[in-house]
Amino acid sequence: MLNENYSIRQTKETLAKRNPVITVVILFLAMEIPGFFLAMIFRSFFANEENFDLLEILNNPDDKILLFLLFMTLFVVILGFIFGKFFQKRNLESFGLKNPKRKINYLKGLGLGFAALAIAVLLLKILGAIDLTNNLANVSPFIFILFIIGWMIQGFEEEFMIRSILMNYFASLNTVLIGIIANSLIFAILHLGNDGFSFLPFINIFFMGLIFSLLFYISDDIMLAAAAHSMWNFTQGNIFGVSVSGNFPIKNSIFKASFIGNDILTGGAFGIEGGFAVTFVEIIALIILYKLAKEKSKEYEKI
């Protein structure tokens, strides 16, 4: 059993009574509405062009379109904040946004996100399951910097929506563990439409949701989880050049990765997140984080 931390207690104290199903549906729509308007914008610009296929463009975007998609998640954050503040009647503390150590926690999150992904890549390299080639000649410094900012926004968006809003909401209604498990399941389900998605990627994304949830619970600071999430994606796409959750290969990456051998180990079309190398890293991380969470829970009990 894990005791409630400060942000969960603040959620319980300030939360207006809302139906859980309605809450999840509204959040899902908030995450999809910007994409709908994006589709409308694309159609208005390219509707008269021959062979225009919006779905093909969104599934196989070039770097500039991908950057636009990443920056569009800022609108999701705004919609989510409006939802939490005015529909749920919550305060900033309940979202884990007021931790005085948020700057140092953000730096810690960046380190954790990079280290976890780098270990998985190193494991594949030792096993001879990945080949990395230098791609610096194809990197635009300006585009590369924009990707850093874009991933920062996108990582924060998913953590704010799934962890700050949903995890603490479910935890305040039930128990902390239910909140952690429920939001992580939803997090995995949101990836169902991604290319190459199957049972193992589902498990790995669920495990990753648990990891981000535990980081949020232990630190009581959404910035730690957001930074880890952003760096995890950035390291995949812009450092090692692998597909991020089956979505897109990025041209502006320091390396280009080619997988060798069984897709079960490497992740295949879904990317490294869909393989056993990441599963191994996640299991180790979960064991460590759960022990830390139980120790932190004792501190929360005294507050």
PDB file of all heavy atoms in Angstrom, residues 232-261:
ATOM      1  N   TRP A 232      13.431  10.581 -23.179  1.00  0.00           N
ATOM      2  CA  TRP A 232      13.258   9.215 -23.684  1.00  0.00           C
ATOM      3  C   TRP A 232      12.915   9.251 -25.174  1.00  0.00           C
ATOM      4  O   TRP A 232      13.521   8.552 -25.984  1.00  0.00           O
ATOM      5  CB  TRP A 232      12.162   8.515 -22.883  1.00  0.00           C
ATOM      6  CG  TRP A 232      11.735   7.171 -23.366  1.00  0.00           C
ATOM      7  CD1 TRP A 232      10.668   6.895 -24.176  1.00  0.00           C
ATOM      8  CD2 TRP A 232      12.334   5.900 -23.067  1.00  0.00           C
ATOM      9  NE1 TRP A 232      10.572   5.539 -24.396  1.00  0.00           N
ATOM     10  CE2 TRP A 232      11.579   4.909 -23.737  1.00  0.00           C
ATOM     11  CE3 TRP A 232      13.427   5.511 -22.295  1.00  0.00           C
ATOM     12  CZ2 TRP A 232      11.889   3.556 -23.659  1.00  0.00           C
ATOM     13  CZ3 TRP A 232      13.736   4.153 -22.221  1.00  0.00           C
ATOM     14  CH2 TRP A 232      12.971   3.198 -22.891  1.00  0.00           C
ATOM     15  N   ASN A 233      11.953  10.093 -25.554  1.00  0.00           N
ATOM     16  CA  ASN A 233      11.553  10.203 -26.958  1.00  0.00           C
ATOM     17  C   ASN A 233      12.638  10.864 -27.808  1.00  0.00           C
ATOM     18  O   ASN A 233      12.922  10.429 -28.925  1.00  0.00           O
ATOM     19  CB  ASN A 233      10.252  11.002 -27.075  1.00  0.00           C
ATOM     20  CG  ASN A 233       9.033  10.223 -26.605  1.00  0.00           C
ATOM     21  OD1 ASN A 233       9.087   9.006 -26.472  1.00  0.00           O
ATOM     22  ND2 ASN A 233       7.956  10.922 -26.330  1.00  0.00           N
ATOM     23  N   PHE A 234      13.233  11.945 -27.291  1.00  0.00           N
ATOM     24  CA  PHE A 234      14.275  12.655 -28.022  1.00  0.00           C
ATOM     25  C   PHE A 234      15.478  11.751 -28.281  1.00  0.00           C
ATOM     26  O   PHE A 234      16.059  11.765 -29.374  1.00  0.00           O
ATOM     27  CB  PHE A 234      14.712  13.890 -27.222  1.00  0.00           C
ATOM     28  CG  PHE A 234      15.884  14.612 -27.824  1.00  0.00           C
ATOM     29  CD1 PHE A 234      15.717  15.423 -28.940  1.00  0.00           C
ATOM     30  CD2 PHE A 234      17.146  14.500 -27.262  1.00  0.00           C
ATOM     31  CE1 PHE A 234      16.807  16.091 -29.495  1.00  0.00           C
ATOM     32  CE2 PHE A 234      18.237  15.154 -27.811  1.00  0.00           C
ATOM     33  CZ  PHE A 234      18.065  15.957 -28.933  1.00  0.00           C
ATOM     34  N   THR A 235      15.862  10.962 -27.290  1.00  0.00           N
ATOM     35  CA  THR A 235      17.003  10.068 -27.443  1.00  0.00           C
ATOM     36  C   THR A 235      16.735   9.020 -28.512  1.00  0.00           C
ATOM     37  O   THR A 235      17.620   8.691 -29.319  1.00  0.00           O
ATOM     38  CB  THR A 235      17.343   9.382 -26.101  1.00  0.00           C
ATOM     39  OG1 THR A 235      17.574  10.389 -25.109  1.00  0.00           O
ATOM     40  CG2 THR A 235      18.585   8.521 -26.231  1.00  0.00           C
ATOM     41  N   GLN A 236      15.512   8.488 -28.529  1.00  0.00           N
ATOM     42  CA  GLN A 236      15.145   7.549 -29.578  1.00  0.00           C
ATOM     43  C   GLN A 236      15.230   8.181 -30.961  1.00  0.00           C
ATOM     44  O   GLN A 236      15.910   7.689 -31.862  1.00  0.00           O
ATOM     45  CB  GLN A 236      13.709   7.051 -29.375  1.00  0.00           C
ATOM     46  CG  GLN A 236      13.493   6.112 -28.227  1.00  0.00           C
ATOM     47  CD  GLN A 236      12.042   5.699 -28.133  1.00  0.00           C
ATOM     48  OE1 GLN A 236      11.595   4.801 -28.844  1.00  0.00           O
ATOM     49  NE2 GLN A 236      11.294   6.357 -27.266  1.00  0.00           N
ATOM     50  N   GLY A 237      14.484   9.289 -31.123  1.00  0.00           N
ATOM     51  CA  GLY A 237      14.295   9.851 -32.452  1.00  0.00           C
ATOM     52  C   GLY A 237      15.445  10.679 -32.974  1.00  0.00           C
ATOM     53  O   GLY A 237      15.795  10.586 -34.157  1.00  0.00           O
ATOM     54  N   ASN A 238      16.054  11.510 -32.106  1.00  0.00           N
ATOM     55  CA  ASN A 238      17.037  12.481 -32.590  1.00  0.00           C
ATOM     56  C   ASN A 238      18.480  12.171 -32.231  1.00  0.00           C
ATOM     57  O   ASN A 238      19.379  12.833 -32.743  1.00  0.00           O
ATOM     58  CB  ASN A 238      16.696  13.881 -32.069  1.00  0.00           C
ATOM     59  CG  ASN A 238      15.404  14.406 -32.659  1.00  0.00           C
ATOM     60  OD1 ASN A 238      14.342  14.259 -32.068  1.00  0.00           O
ATOM     61  ND2 ASN A 238      15.495  15.005 -33.837  1.00  0.00           N
ATOM     62  N   ILE A 239      18.688  11.205 -31.368  1.00  0.00           N
ATOM     63  CA  ILE A 239      20.067  10.779 -31.091  1.00  0.00           C
ATOM     64  C   ILE A 239      20.368   9.468 -31.812  1.00  0.00           C
ATOM     65  O   ILE A 239      21.300   9.393 -32.610  1.00  0.00           O
ATOM     66  CB  ILE A 239      20.314  10.650 -29.575  1.00  0.00           C
ATOM     67  CG1 ILE A 239      20.215  12.034 -28.914  1.00  0.00           C
ATOM     68  CG2 ILE A 239      21.706  10.033 -29.320  1.00  0.00           C
ATOM     69  CD1 ILE A 239      20.504  12.047 -27.435  1.00  0.00           C
ATOM     70  N   PHE A 240      19.538   8.433 -31.577  1.00  0.00           N
ATOM     71  CA  PHE A 240      19.817   7.130 -32.178  1.00  0.00           C
ATOM     72  C   PHE A 240      19.059   6.872 -33.484  1.00  0.00           C
ATOM     73  O   PHE A 240      19.339   5.901 -34.178  1.00  0.00           O
ATOM     74  CB  PHE A 240      19.531   6.015 -31.172  1.00  0.00           C
ATOM     75  CG  PHE A 240      20.457   6.035 -29.992  1.00  0.00           C
ATOM     76  CD1 PHE A 240      19.987   6.315 -28.720  1.00  0.00           C
ATOM     77  CD2 PHE A 240      21.811   5.789 -30.154  1.00  0.00           C
ATOM     78  CE1 PHE A 240      20.845   6.340 -27.624  1.00  0.00           C
ATOM     79  CE2 PHE A 240      22.681   5.814 -29.074  1.00  0.00           C
ATOM     80  CZ  PHE A 240      22.195   6.088 -27.805  1.00  0.00           C
ATOM     81  N   GLY A 241      18.094   7.730 -33.815  1.00  0.00           N
ATOM     82  CA  GLY A 241      17.431   7.616 -35.107  1.00  0.00           C
ATOM     83  C   GLY A 241      16.540   6.407 -35.258  1.00  0.00           C
ATOM     84  O   GLY A 241      16.446   5.829 -36.353  1.00  0.00           O
ATOM     85  N   VAL A 242      15.872   5.999 -34.178  1.00  0.00           N
ATOM     86  CA  VAL A 242      14.913   4.892 -34.266  1.00  0.00           C
ATOM     87  C   VAL A 242      13.493   5.446 -34.203  1.00  0.00           C
ATOM     88  O   VAL A 242      13.266   6.566 -33.748  1.00  0.00           O
ATOM     89  CB  VAL A 242      15.128   3.862 -33.132  1.00  0.00           C
ATOM     90  CG1 VAL A 242      16.529   3.284 -33.196  1.00  0.00           C
ATOM     91  CG2 VAL A 242      14.879   4.485 -31.765  1.00  0.00           C
ATOM     92  N   SER A 243      12.534   4.670 -34.670  1.00  0.00           N
ATOM     93  CA  SER A 243      11.139   5.088 -34.638  1.00  0.00           C
ATOM     94  C   SER A 243      10.678   5.290 -33.207  1.00  0.00           C
ATOM     95  O   SER A 243      11.033   4.514 -32.317  1.00  0.00           O
ATOM     96  CB  SER A 243      10.252   4.038 -35.320  1.00  0.00           C
ATOM     97  OG  SER A 243      10.567   3.930 -36.690  1.00  0.00           O
ATOM     98  N   VAL A 244       9.896   6.324 -32.977  1.00  0.00           N
ATOM     99  CA  VAL A 244       9.365   6.613 -31.650  1.00  0.00           C
ATOM    100  C   VAL A 244       7.945   6.050 -31.567  1.00  0.00           C
ATOM    101  O   VAL A 244       7.039   6.559 -32.188  1.00  0.00           O
ATOM    102  CB  VAL A 244       9.352   8.127 -31.360  1.00  0.00           C
ATOM    103  CG1 VAL A 244       8.818   8.404 -29.959  1.00  0.00           C
ATOM    104  CG2 VAL A 244      10.750   8.709 -31.512  1.00  0.00           C
ATOM    105  N   SER A 245       7.776   4.969 -30.817  1.00  0.00           N
ATOM    106  CA  SER A 245       6.478   4.321 -30.631  1.00  0.00           C
ATOM    107  C   SER A 245       5.819   3.983 -31.963  1.00  0.00           C
ATOM    108  O   SER A 245       4.604   4.078 -32.121  1.00  0.00           O
ATOM    109  CB  SER A 245       5.539   5.212 -29.808  1.00  0.00           C
ATOM    110  OG  SER A 245       6.102   5.521 -28.559  1.00  0.00           O
ATOM    111  N   GLY A 246       6.627   3.599 -32.950  1.00  0.00           N
ATOM    112  CA  GLY A 246       6.079   3.173 -34.233  1.00  0.00           C
ATOM    113  C   GLY A 246       5.628   4.289 -35.135  1.00  0.00           C
ATOM    114  O   GLY A 246       5.055   4.029 -36.194  1.00  0.00           O
ATOM    115  N   ASN A 247       5.893   5.521 -34.755  1.00  0.00           N
ATOM    116  CA  ASN A 247       5.304   6.639 -35.485  1.00  0.00           C
ATOM    117  C   ASN A 247       6.114   7.152 -36.660  1.00  0.00           C
ATOM    118  O   ASN A 247       5.586   7.363 -37.731  1.00  0.00           O
ATOM    119  CB  ASN A 247       5.042   7.811 -34.529  1.00  0.00           C
ATOM    120  CG  ASN A 247       3.766   7.622 -33.742  1.00  0.00           C
ATOM    121  OD1 ASN A 247       2.795   7.112 -34.259  1.00  0.00           O
ATOM    122  ND2 ASN A 247       3.778   8.015 -32.481  1.00  0.00           N
ATOM    123  N   PHE A 248       7.387   7.409 -36.470  1.00  0.00           N
ATOM    124  CA  PHE A 248       8.092   8.130 -37.527  1.00  0.00           C
ATOM    125  C   PHE A 248       9.609   8.022 -37.376  1.00  0.00           C
ATOM    126  O   PHE A 248      10.129   8.177 -36.288  1.00  0.00           O
ATOM    127  CB  PHE A 248       7.712   9.614 -37.501  1.00  0.00           C
ATOM    128  CG  PHE A 248       7.307  10.106 -36.138  1.00  0.00           C
ATOM    129  CD1 PHE A 248       8.227  10.240 -35.107  1.00  0.00           C
ATOM    130  CD2 PHE A 248       5.973  10.406 -35.873  1.00  0.00           C
ATOM    131  CE1 PHE A 248       7.838  10.684 -33.853  1.00  0.00           C
ATOM    132  CE2 PHE A 248       5.586  10.850 -34.617  1.00  0.00           C
ATOM    133  CZ  PHE A 248       6.522  10.995 -33.601  1.00  0.00           C
ATOM    134  N   PRO A 249      10.308   7.760 -38.484  1.00  0.00           N
ATOM    135  CA  PRO A 249      11.758   7.904 -38.471  1.00  0.00           C
ATOM    136  C   PRO A 249      12.103   9.373 -38.675  1.00  0.00           C
ATOM    137  O   PRO A 249      11.454  10.064 -39.456  1.00  0.00           O
ATOM    138  CB  PRO A 249      12.213   7.058 -39.668  1.00  0.00           C
ATOM    139  CG  PRO A 249      11.046   7.076 -40.588  1.00  0.00           C
ATOM    140  CD  PRO A 249       9.812   7.227 -39.743  1.00  0.00           C
ATOM    141  N   ILE A 250      13.079   9.878 -37.967  1.00  0.00           N
ATOM    142  CA  ILE A 250      13.439  11.298 -38.036  1.00  0.00           C
ATOM    143  C   ILE A 250      14.751  11.453 -38.801  1.00  0.00           C
ATOM    144  O   ILE A 250      15.723  10.743 -38.534  1.00  0.00           O
ATOM    145  CB  ILE A 250      13.566  11.882 -36.613  1.00  0.00           C
ATOM    146  CG1 ILE A 250      12.199  11.850 -35.917  1.00  0.00           C
ATOM    147  CG2 ILE A 250      14.108  13.307 -36.645  1.00  0.00           C
ATOM    148  CD1 ILE A 250      12.240  12.269 -34.457  1.00  0.00           C
ATOM    149  N   LYS A 251      14.764  12.373 -39.758  1.00  0.00           N
ATOM    150  CA  LYS A 251      15.960  12.589 -40.578  1.00  0.00           C
ATOM    151  C   LYS A 251      17.048  13.306 -39.791  1.00  0.00           C
ATOM    152  O   LYS A 251      18.229  13.042 -39.979  1.00  0.00           O
ATOM    153  CB  LYS A 251      15.593  13.387 -41.824  1.00  0.00           C
ATOM    154  CG  LYS A 251      14.618  12.673 -42.754  1.00  0.00           C
ATOM    155  CD  LYS A 251      14.215  13.549 -43.919  1.00  0.00           C
ATOM    156  CE  LYS A 251      13.180  12.847 -44.789  1.00  0.00           C
ATOM    157  NZ  LYS A 251      12.709  13.731 -45.892  1.00  0.00           N
ATOM    158  N   ASN A 252      16.661  14.251 -38.925  1.00  0.00           N
ATOM    159  CA  ASN A 252      17.625  15.028 -38.147  1.00  0.00           C
ATOM    160  C   ASN A 252      18.004  14.283 -36.871  1.00  0.00           C
ATOM    161  O   ASN A 252      17.624  14.654 -35.765  1.00  0.00           O
ATOM    162  CB  ASN A 252      17.048  16.404 -37.811  1.00  0.00           C
ATOM    163  CG  ASN A 252      17.169  17.382 -38.953  1.00  0.00           C
ATOM    164  OD1 ASN A 252      18.143  18.111 -39.062  1.00  0.00           O
ATOM    165  ND2 ASN A 252      16.177  17.366 -39.837  1.00  0.00           N
ATOM    166  N   SER A 253      18.786  13.228 -37.033  1.00  0.00           N
ATOM    167  CA  SER A 253      19.257  12.446 -35.892  1.00  0.00           C
ATOM    168  C   SER A 253      20.758  12.278 -35.983  1.00  0.00           C
ATOM    169  O   SER A 253      21.324  12.223 -37.076  1.00  0.00           O
ATOM    170  CB  SER A 253      18.579  11.073 -35.857  1.00  0.00           C
ATOM    171  OG  SER A 253      18.894  10.329 -37.025  1.00  0.00           O
ATOM    172  N   ILE A 254      21.420  12.199 -34.835  1.00  0.00           N
ATOM    173  CA  ILE A 254      22.877  12.088 -34.800  1.00  0.00           C
ATOM    174  C   ILE A 254      23.337  10.760 -35.389  1.00  0.00           C
ATOM    175  O   ILE A 254      24.326  10.691 -36.120  1.00  0.00           O
ATOM    176  CB  ILE A 254      23.378  12.249 -33.356  1.00  0.00           C
ATOM    177  CG1 ILE A 254      23.061  13.663 -32.853  1.00  0.00           C
ATOM    178  CG2 ILE A 254      24.883  11.974 -33.260  1.00  0.00           C
ATOM    179  CD1 ILE A 254      23.377  13.894 -31.385  1.00  0.00           C
ATOM    180  N   PHE A 255      22.604   9.692 -35.071  1.00  0.00           N
ATOM    181  CA  PHE A 255      22.888   8.375 -35.639  1.00  0.00           C
ATOM    182  C   PHE A 255      21.675   7.874 -36.407  1.00  0.00           C
ATOM    183  O   PHE A 255      20.561   8.360 -36.226  1.00  0.00           O
ATOM    184  CB  PHE A 255      23.229   7.362 -34.538  1.00  0.00           C
ATOM    185  CG  PHE A 255      24.448   7.693 -33.732  1.00  0.00           C
ATOM    186  CD1 PHE A 255      24.339   8.282 -32.479  1.00  0.00           C
ATOM    187  CD2 PHE A 255      25.720   7.398 -34.215  1.00  0.00           C
ATOM    188  CE1 PHE A 255      25.460   8.593 -31.729  1.00  0.00           C
ATOM    189  CE2 PHE A 255      26.848   7.699 -33.466  1.00  0.00           C
ATOM    190  CZ  PHE A 255      26.716   8.293 -32.224  1.00  0.00           C
ATOM    191  N   LYS A 256      21.915   6.901 -37.259  1.00  0.00           N
ATOM    192  CA  LYS A 256      20.841   6.145 -37.886  1.00  0.00           C
ATOM    193  C   LYS A 256      20.981   4.695 -37.451  1.00  0.00           C
ATOM    194  O   LYS A 256      22.042   4.090 -37.584  1.00  0.00           O
ATOM    195  CB  LYS A 256      20.911   6.244 -39.419  1.00  0.00           C
ATOM    196  CG  LYS A 256      20.352   7.534 -39.981  1.00  0.00           C
ATOM    197  CD  LYS A 256      18.862   7.657 -39.703  1.00  0.00           C
ATOM    198  CE  LYS A 256      18.301   8.970 -40.224  1.00  0.00           C
ATOM    199  NZ  LYS A 256      16.894   9.170 -39.843  1.00  0.00           N
ATOM    200  N   ALA A 257      19.892   4.148 -36.901  1.00  0.00           N
ATOM    201  CA  ALA A 257      19.932   2.783 -36.374  1.00  0.00           C
ATOM    202  C   ALA A 257      19.301   1.803 -37.352  1.00  0.00           C
ATOM    203  O   ALA A 257      18.274   2.095 -37.969  1.00  0.00           O
ATOM    204  CB  ALA A 257      19.210   2.719 -35.034  1.00  0.00           C
ATOM    205  N   SER A 258      19.930   0.661 -37.484  1.00  0.00           N
ATOM    206  CA  SER A 258      19.367  -0.449 -38.259  1.00  0.00           C
ATOM    207  C   SER A 258      19.326  -1.662 -37.352  1.00  0.00           C
ATOM    208  O   SER A 258      20.363  -2.048 -36.767  1.00  0.00           O
ATOM    209  CB  SER A 258      20.235  -0.742 -39.489  1.00  0.00           C
ATOM    210  OG  SER A 258      20.304   0.378 -40.342  1.00  0.00           O
ATOM    211  N   PHE A 259      18.144  -2.249 -37.214  1.00  0.00           N
ATOM    212  CA  PHE A 259      18.006  -3.420 -36.364  1.00  0.00           C
ATOM    213  C   PHE A 259      18.432  -4.676 -37.108  1.00  0.00           C
ATOM    214  O   PHE A 259      18.196  -4.820 -38.314  1.00  0.00           O
ATOM    215  CB  PHE A 259      16.565  -3.567 -35.878  1.00  0.00           C
ATOM    216  CG  PHE A 259      16.139  -2.480 -34.927  1.00  0.00           C
ATOM    217  CD1 PHE A 259      14.927  -1.826 -35.097  1.00  0.00           C
ATOM    218  CD2 PHE A 259      16.942  -2.121 -33.865  1.00  0.00           C
ATOM    219  CE1 PHE A 259      14.536  -0.824 -34.219  1.00  0.00           C
ATOM    220  CE2 PHE A 259      16.563  -1.125 -32.985  1.00  0.00           C
ATOM    221  CZ  PHE A 259      15.357  -0.478 -33.172  1.00  0.00           C
ATOM    222  N   ILE A 260      19.034  -5.603 -36.374  1.00  0.00           N
ATOM    223  CA  ILE A 260      19.506  -6.867 -36.927  1.00  0.00           C
ATOM    224  C   ILE A 260      18.912  -8.003 -36.110  1.00  0.00           C
ATOM    225  O   ILE A 260      19.010  -8.010 -34.885  1.00  0.00           O
ATOM    226  CB  ILE A 260      21.049  -6.946 -36.876  1.00  0.00           C
ATOM    227  CG1 ILE A 260      21.673  -5.746 -37.590  1.00  0.00           C
ATOM    228  CG2 ILE A 260      21.548  -8.255 -37.490  1.00  0.00           C
ATOM    229  CD1 ILE A 260      23.149  -5.564 -37.289  1.00  0.00           C
ATOM    230  N   GLY A 261      18.264  -8.959 -36.785  1.00  0.00           N
ATOM    231  CA  GLY A 261      17.766 -10.125 -36.074  1.00  0.00           C
ATOM    232  C   GLY A 261      16.300 -10.046 -35.709  1.00  0.00           C
ATOM    233  O   GLY A 261      15.503  -9.352 -36.352  1.00  0.00           O
TER     234      GLY A 261
END
